[in-house]
């Protein structure tokens, strides 16, 4: 029987890339980091804050997210939004996810190529 640690490692690897896709989808509507964390968790993406915040900075550095500070509330918050380039990358990633899912389904069903 496979250990829980081995399974957890593989699940973590599988989800790592999907968090990028989920974040780009979710941030089509501007939001700040903590709210995004909660939204992702509500949709089954349990992401640690220590993972999400560096990811948001990396996506912003890559030009896939834009950000602006909201200083109107008592505590300033940085709001993120998927950029036009982020939308283009997201569409390519979604296309690839669909292709991977189709390929895996074909393998499961024994389809010949």
């Amino acid at each position: 029987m496979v250990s829980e640690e081995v399974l957890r490692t593989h699940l973590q690897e599988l989800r790592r890339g999907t968090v990028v896709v989920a974040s780009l989808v979710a941030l089509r509507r501007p939001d700040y980091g903590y709210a995004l964390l909660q939204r992702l968790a509500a949709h089954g993406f349990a992401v640690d804050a220590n993972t999400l915040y560096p990811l948001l900075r990396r996506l912003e550095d890559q030009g896939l997210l834009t950000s602006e500070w909201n200083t109107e509330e008592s505590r300033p918050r940085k709001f993120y939004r998927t950029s036009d380039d982020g939308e283009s990358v997201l569409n390519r990633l979604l296309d690839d996810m669909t292709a991977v899912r189709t390929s895996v389904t074909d393998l499961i069903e024994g389809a010949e190529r």
Side-chain angles (χ1 to χ4, degrees):
M1 182 130 189
V2 176
S3 74
E4 284 297 313
E5 181 63 27
V6 168
L7 179 59
R8 189 171 33 256
T9 298
H10 287 292
L11 288 172
Q12 182 180 23
E13 289 175 16
L14 180 63
R15 289 187 172 262
R16 188 169 284 134
T18 59
V19 170
V20 170
V21 172
S23 296
L24 290 172
V25 169
L27 290 172
R28 285 173 163 166
R29 184 182 86 206
D31 221 340
Y32 61 99
Y34 184 71
L36 175 62
L37 235 138
Q38 292 179 315
R39 213 155 104 211
L40 292 175
H43 288 278
F45 293 92
V47 183
D48 187 76
N50 292 327
T51 300
L52 184 65
Y53 289 106
L55 172 67
L56 292 174
R57 284 191 295 277
R58 189 182 87 220
L59 294 175
E60 185 179 16
D61 288 345
Q62 293 171 343
L64 305 181
L65 295 178
T66 59
S67 69
E68 61 183 52
W69 285 96
N70 178 345
T71 56
E72 295 173 6
E73 298 179 27
S74 61
R75 205 168 111 217
R77 293 182 174 163
K78 191 174 189 178
F79 278 75
Y80 295 91
R81 175 193 270 284
T82 302
S83 68
D84 291 342
D85 285 346
E87 189 67 35
S88 296
V89 167
L90 173 61
N91 288 328
R92 294 283 306 272
L93 292 173
L94 290 172
D95 288 346
D96 195 61
M97 285 179 73
T98 300
V100 168
R101 181 181 176 144
T102 299
S103 296
V104 170
T105 299
D106 286 350
L107 281 170
I108 291 169
E109 294 173 354
E112 293 296 323
R113 291 226 174 209

